[in-house]
């Protein structure tokens, strides 16, 4: 499974793990939260993907169910998604997974959140990853014939077989995190907030290539 992400800086060479730079774009003016939220016919910038950030001017008074009618990068048809924010919340970023929104139609709540509410689209653009990147979003496939060019959309692989350079000793079945653009390392106890890159398929010594089962998932 792959998704297309705009290349912001670059170029990005084949085999490079990419992270998402998020650029906020307001989805209209703030609206009153004294009535249930109903943002209908929401449109995103053409040819983009990313996440939604909802900001509540006052903490949410009670648990609030937020519904999104959206298309996600790994679920390429529109459907309704729901998430619950706890009382006291002042900000919601959705989705939390590595999936990105590619189309959005509506944002709705059944209860009034109070205060005023504003919504932003956090537009993704691809840049090479850093060590333990907090928003890793894919791998520019190693079988591409050339680099991904700035100003173009690049296909990023989210799942499947991949290879990278081992930083430190790696054993088969080790959980891996990013160690920079081309490299991976073993997940440690301190990596609680680091994105999971995948699982090693073989043993590897420092500096050698290691095959891995790519499975990009967010940190806690």
């Amino acid at each position: 499974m792959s998704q297309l992400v705009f290349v912001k800086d670059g170029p990005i060479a084949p085999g490079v793990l990419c992270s998402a730079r998020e650029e906020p774009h307001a989805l209209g003016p703030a609206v009153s939260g004294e009535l249930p939220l109903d943002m209908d016919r929401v449109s995103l910038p053409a040819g983009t993907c990313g996440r939604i950030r909802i900001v509540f001017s006052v903490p949410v008074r009670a648990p609030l169910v937020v519904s999104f009618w959206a298309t996600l990068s790994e679920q390429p048809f529109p459907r309704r998604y729901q998430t619950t924010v706890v009382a006291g919340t002042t900000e919601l970023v959705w989705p939390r997974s590595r999936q990105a929104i590619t189309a959005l139609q509506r944002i709705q709540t059944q209860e009034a959140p109070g205060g005023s509410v504003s919504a932003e689209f956090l537009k993704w653009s691809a840049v090479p990853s850093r060590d333990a990147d907090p928003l890793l979003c894919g791998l520019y496939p190693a079988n591409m014939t050339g680099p991904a060019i700035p100003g173009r959309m690049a296909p990023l692989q989210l799942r499947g077989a991949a290879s990278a350079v081992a930083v430190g000793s790696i054993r088969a079945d080790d959980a891996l995190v990013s160690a920079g653009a081309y490299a991976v390392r073993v997940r440690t106890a301190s990596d609680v907030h680091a994105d999971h890159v995948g699982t090693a398929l073989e043993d590897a010594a420092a500096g050698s290539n290691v095959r891995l089962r790519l499975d990009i998932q967010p940190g806690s």
Side-chain angles (χ1 to χ4, degrees), residues 37-219:
L37 183 66
D38 192 0
M39 299 179 65
D40 199 4
R41 299 182 181 88
V42 184
S43 61
L44 304 179
T48 60
C49 69
R51 306 193 293 178
I52 296 295
R53 177 165 60 201
I54 299 176
V55 179
F56 305 97
S57 67
V58 296
V60 172
R61 295 175 292 214
L64 182 71
V65 177
V66 184
S67 298
F68 298 89
W69 280 260
T71 304
L72 299 186
S73 55
E74 291 192 295
Q75 192 77 36
F77 50 85
R79 54 168 287 191
R80 181 186 183 186
Y81 298 88
Q82 288 188 324
T83 188
T84 301
V85 296
V86 299
T89 296
T90 58
E91 180 177 291
L92 166 66
V93 176
W94 183 87
R96 272 283 300 153
S97 68
R98 287 303 81 146
Q99 297 184 58
I101 301 170
T102 58
L104 180 67
Q105 298 171 345
R106 191 176 193 180
I107 305 171
Q108 189 179 54
T109 64
Q110 293 183 341
E111 305 295 334
S116 63
V117 181
S118 59
E120 294 177 320
F121 178 55
L122 302 177
K123 183 175 116 177
W124 280 11
S125 55
V127 294
S129 70
R130 302 178 299 276
D131 184 23
D133 202 296
L135 193 59
L136 194 71
C137 64
L139 175 93
Y140 185 55
N143 61 0
M144 300 300 290
T145 57
I149 306 301
R152 299 286 184 88
M153 300 292 282
L156 298 184
Q157 182 182 350
L158 302 173
R159 306 280 184 270
S163 64
V165 175
V167 172
S169 177
I170 290 176
R171 303 293 299 272
D173 295 326
D174 279 344
L176 304 173
V177 297
S178 172
Y182 292 90
V184 292
R185 60 180 175 81
V186 176
R187 174 179 288 276
T188 67
S190 63
D191 288 321
V192 290
H193 299 300
D195 288 350
H196 172 75
V197 173
T199 305
L201 295 175
E202 61 188 357
D203 296 349
S208 66
N209 286 336
V210 56
R211 292 186 304 116
L212 62 125
R213 183 170 59 253
L214 191 71
D215 183 17
I216 306 293
Q217 295 184 29

